[in-house]
Amino acid sequence: MTASILDGKILSEQIRSEVAQELTEFVAKTGVTPCLAAVLVGDNPASQVYVRNKQKACEKAGITSQLHRPPAETTTEELLALVDRLNRDAAVHGILVQLPLPKQIEETRVLEAVNPLKDVDAFHPENVGRIVQNRPRFLPCTPHGVQQMLLRHAIPIAGAKVVIVGRSDIVGKPMAIMLMQRGRGGDATVTVCHSRTRDLPAVTREADILIVAIGQPKFLTSDMVKPGAVVIDVGINRTDGGLVGDVDFEAVKEVASQITPVPGGVGPLTIAMLMRNALTAAQLQCKEC
Ligand code: NDP
């Protein structure tokens, strides 16, 4: 069996055009143009690419974007002052602090300082708590993109056995919570694996839907996949051979029924869901407009 490809580029364009249409209606009704402020500390080359792509997507969607570029040696206090300024600026609806931050900066303090109504990454504890309680304000962009990928390809989630490899705050943990919630896009039976999981292949082979987010190039091999499983590769790894995922795509596509490529799978969806959140942020802050 050769798996069919779950194309994130096509889906991302569809979602972005839905957002753009809703945004046009919002602007016509309120006269307010949503604005997303990105904060990029230092010169991390991968972060620069991510932020540039996010800004391009804003431009296409009709969202104004700002870029703030404090130097690599910025202190926590200086960054907190910038976040405070953006929190107070009524013209800024969404704030995105690009991770990773340089080592001297206390990341938790910075992410907690973002106004929860402007927290388009959904990293603030208040927003994380709301997700856990199944009353989200924003959904985190990458897990939301994966969930949309499953829903819009009519891949059954309810009752499915989902195995997630990786337990980060950004991907694995919120992904698990979202898929186990009651209701549409949830009701799965979720297992979360990590570096301490015993006999990982035995666990991953149980999955109807296998989501891999660990940051290890081509880690997931075909013997770790149940024939006919759906495989979602969140990994983005820069190697001499270019960008590769966490899944050994060529081998696994012969076993899986559906699989996401890297690049062109989950990555574009992450950006589409960020546009969604930027519009939601403006809508939330503009209730009385
Ligand atoms: P983190 O480094 O924060 O977390 C990695 C997780 O993987 C940890 O829970 C770790 O376990 C687990 N892990 C690492 N090695 C193994 C192993 N050999 N076996 C089992 N579990 C393992 O990564 P992120 O979640 O931030 O990112 C994961 C990948 O996804 C990266 O490639 C990243 O670039 C990509 N990414 C892609 C995005 C997109 O838009 N497509 C967005 C965000 C991330 P433990 O907790 O025990 O250490």
Side-chain angles (χ1 to χ4, degrees):
M1 180 200 304
T2 297
S4 57
I5 305 298
L6 296 166
D7 189 320
K9 273 199 226 151
I10 294 173
L11 197 50
S12 133
E13 269 160 35
Q14 189 187 327
I15 294 172
R16 279 157 61 164
S17 84
E18 289 166 14
V19 170
Q21 191 176 336
E22 194 180 322
L23 186 134
T24 307
E25 289 161 19
F26 172 77
V27 175
K29 202 169 114 203
T30 62
V32 173
T33 302
C35 171
L36 180 65
V39 178
L40 172 58
V41 185
D43 305 311
N44 181 320
S47 295
Q48 288 184 46
V49 174
Y50 291 141
V51 169
R52 204 179 310 131
N53 288 341
K54 289 169 185 176
Q55 287 201 293
K56 273 193 211 152
C58 281
E59 209 175 292
K60 273 198 185 165
I63 295 169
T64 307
S65 69
Q66 294 181 359
L67 177 58
H68 299 267
R69 295 213 53 182
E73 60 278 10
T74 301
T75 64
T76 303
E77 299 306 325
E78 286 165 340
L79 193 52
L80 288 172
L82 171 59
V83 169
D84 183 51
R85 190 153 60 76
L86 297 172
N87 280 342
R88 288 162 190 270
D89 186 343
V92 170
H93 303 99
I95 302 171
L96 178 159
V97 180
Q98 184 64 43
L99 302 180
L101 290 168
K103 286 206 167 56
Q104 78 278 8
I105 293 177
E106 293 168 73
E107 186 176 295
T108 311
R109 278 184 71 199
V110 174
L111 298 182
E112 273 193 57
V114 173
N115 176 346
L117 290 175
K118 300 191 178 189
D119 175 34
V120 288
D121 274 326
F123 291 160
H124 192 284
E126 182 181 313
N127 285 322
V128 175
R130 294 183 69 106
I131 293 161
V132 173
Q133 293 182 348
N134 206 10
R135 48 191 191 104
R137 181 183 278 140
F138 301 108
L139 289 171
C141 302
T142 301
H144 193 194
V146 172
Q147 190 182 43
Q148 287 298 313
M149 175 78 94
L150 298 172
L151 280 169
R152 290 175 185 239
H153 283 94
I155 293 165
I157 304 173
K161 180 135 207 247
V162 175
V163 174
I164 299 168
V165 191
R167 58 175 164 185
S168 71
D169 288 344
I170 296 173
V171 187
K173 216 185 281 178
M175 185 82 258
I177 288 161
M178 287 164 62
L179 295 176
M180 64 171 255
Q181 298 290 16
R182 258 194 206 106
R184 187 169 181 270
D187 290 325
T189 302
V190 181
T191 302
V192 180
C193 302
H194 44 76
S195 66
R196 305 293 297 272
T197 297
R198 211 178 293 147
D199 197 359
L200 182 65
V203 184
T204 56
R205 273 197 300 268
E206 293 275 302
D208 302 315
I209 301 171
L210 181 52
I211 301 171
V212 192
I214 62 173
Q216 310 270 345
K218 299 188 183 183
F219 175 87
L220 190 100
T221 46
S222 56
D223 57 313
M224 298 170 82
V225 179
K226 178 170 78 174
V230 174
V231 177
I232 307 285
D233 188 353
V234 180
I236 301 177
N237 306 289
R238 288 180 162 67
T239 67
D240 294 342
L243 279 192
V244 297
D246 290 345
V247 173
D248 182 1
F249 180 83
E250 288 305 325
V252 171
K253 80 174 185 344
E254 300 306 325
V255 180
S257 61
Q258 301 184 75
I259 187 168
T260 58
V262 176
V266 175
L269 284 172
T270 297
I271 296 193
M273 301 336 287
L274 177 67
M275 299 302 104
R276 168 71 267 166
N277 283 353
L279 174 56
T280 301
Q283 288 167 331
L284 286 170
Q285 285 157 72
C286 220
K287 282 243 165 78
E288 286 91 43
C289 288

